Amino acid sequence: MMITPVHRFRDIERTPEYLQPEKCVPPPSRASPGTMWFIRDGCGIACAVVTWMLVFYADFVVLLVMLVPSRDYVYSVINGTLFNTLAFLALASHFRAMLTDPGAVPKGNATKEFIESLQLKPGQVVYKCPKCCSIKPDRAHHCSVCKRCIRKMDHHCPWVNNCVGENNQKYFVLFTMYIALISLHALIMVGFHFLYCFEEDWTKCSSFSPPTTVILLILLCFEALLFLIFTSVMFGTQVHSICTDETGIEQLKKEERRWAKKTKWMNMKAVFGHPFSIAWLSPFATPDQGKADPYQYVV
């Protein structure tokens, strides 16, 4: 079988000796639905903890430095409610993105029995991952951190301590969107608070001393600006990836498109669920993706 240049990244998986089904132990029994998915990676866990701490710091400054000392009760209630709602949705999205199975292929399924069940015809090829001993569906890639092959893997994100794949991409997109929104909201409130403090007595615009207030506001401003830029870019790239139905890895490797082309709207519904509703914005709503296309093991 002739191998085209676009397939050079998977040449090692096409080599017959790599199949070796006798060396693959049968996959473990399927875990119960209530089993939690969690990646035990030190760097990822640290990044996830830092993410939550930064959100809590922003909430601390917004509430105790800017809103509680404000004399405008309506302003404080509206902005406090809005900011905390967005922060809660951001952390809930982060939680779901981190603890949702991104689409892991059963480990060790490259057994003799499974290969025989595919009923391969002459000339047909299957991809086997030599690292996790799995027969890989089309568009699956191996993650060295998760140590699993992930269906429609976009990338591994240390900030959510998980891969972004078929099953949790919605939650990752919502996480980046809500973080960008609370960052923008915080920047706007910091700007208004500085104006208010310049016009009034600094000792009356905050319950902290003027130097402490300035330091806390500058740190929040720096944090909000940094994460606004970062998450806005990530949100944009993720939406573009969804609309074009091409993952980050597929774009990086410039893999040949072997799957049916769909409209942008169909691609959005495939990630966020059928049909369009307010549930698209909720990290608590599991996408109802309808009848998914069967994964092709055979090429």
Side-chain angles (χ1 to χ4, degrees):
M1 178 179 179
M2 189 167 127
I3 301 176
T4 59
V6 292
H7 292 147
R8 64 184 179 276
F9 299 105
R10 289 181 130 171
D11 286 350
I12 191 171
E13 296 162 7
R14 292 173 177 267
T15 309
E17 56 264 25
Y18 274 95
L19 281 178
Q20 297 181 329
E22 66 278 359
K23 291 189 177 182
C24 290
V25 297
S29 57
R30 187 175 293 273
S32 61
T35 302
M36 183 178 66
W37 173 274
F38 183 74
I39 302 302
R40 295 175 178 84
D41 174 59
C43 177
I45 294 173
C47 287
V49 171
V50 169
T51 300
W52 281 63
M53 291 178 63
L54 289 173
V55 174
F56 287 142
Y57 170 77
D59 195 46
F60 164 78
V61 176
V62 167
L63 290 179
L64 299 183
V65 177
M66 293 189 287
L67 296 183
V68 171
S70 176
R71 298 175 183 176
D72 191 337
Y73 179 76
V74 176
Y75 172 84
S76 298
V77 170
I78 292 177
N79 282 281
T81 302
L82 178 60
F83 186 87
N84 280 277
T85 300
L86 293 175
F88 173 75
L89 290 172
L91 293 180
S93 300
H94 182 274
F95 190 79
R96 291 298 302 273
M98 180 172 59
L99 300 182
T100 298
D101 181 349
V105 178
K107 197 172 185 178
N109 70 348
T111 60
K112 182 178 180 181
E113 293 76 13
F114 183 77
I115 295 175
E116 290 177 349
S117 70
L118 296 178
Q119 298 180 348
L120 299 178
K121 297 178 182 179
Q124 289 183 322
V125 177
V126 292
Y127 297 142
K128 180 211 168 180
C129 177
K131 298 177 182 178
C132 61
C133 210
S134 298
I135 298 297
K136 296 166 65 172
D138 196 19
R139 305 187 69 183
H141 293 85
H142 185 85
C143 174
S144 59
V145 179
C146 297
K147 296 180 174 56
R148 299 287 292 274
C149 287
I150 308 296
R151 297 192 300 266
K152 291 187 70 174
M153 174 182 169
D154 186 87
H155 69 287
H156 183 91
C157 178
W159 294 105
V160 297
N161 189 34
N162 202 0
C163 274
V164 178
E166 177 187 67
N167 295 341
N168 68 342
Q169 189 172 26
K170 170 192 173 179
Y171 309 124
F172 182 75
V173 172
L174 291 180
F175 167 66
T176 58
M177 181 184 73
Y178 287 128
I179 289 293
L181 289 176
I182 64 173
S183 298
L184 178 61
H185 190 197
L187 281 173
I188 293 174
M189 284 192 290
V190 168
F192 277 115
H193 198 72
F194 266 121
L195 291 176
Y196 172 73
C197 290
F198 282 133
E199 294 175 356
E200 300 289 336
D201 187 354
W202 274 88
T203 59
K204 297 180 180 179
C205 70
S206 174
S207 54
F208 296 88
S209 64
T212 303
T213 300
V214 171
I215 292 174
L216 291 173
L217 291 177
I218 290 177
L219 289 176
L220 176 60
C221 188
F222 177 77
E223 174 194 341
L225 182 61
L226 180 65
F227 279 92
L228 174 61
I229 296 173
F230 177 71
T231 54
S232 296
V233 171
M234 286 301 301
F235 176 78
T237 57
Q238 285 295 301
V239 171
H240 177 266
S241 176
I242 293 172
C243 290
T244 58
D245 192 21
E246 191 175 24
T247 67
I249 290 182
E250 290 165 349
Q251 294 176 18
L252 182 64
K253 292 185 175 182
K254 298 181 180 179
E255 294 186 357
E256 181 185 23
R257 180 182 286 270
R258 301 182 300 276
W259 52 94
K261 189 174 182 180
K262 301 177 183 178
T263 64
K264 295 179 180 179
W265 185 244
M266 291 179 65
N267 292 331
M268 290 291 289
K269 290 195 293 184
V271 173
F272 290 93
H274 299 282
F276 172 75
S277 68
I278 193 66
W280 279 27
L281 302 177
S282 172
F284 304 102
T286 302
D288 179 15
Q289 299 174 330
K291 185 177 180 181
D293 294 332
Y295 290 102
Q296 299 296 325
Y297 286 93
V298 181
V299 183

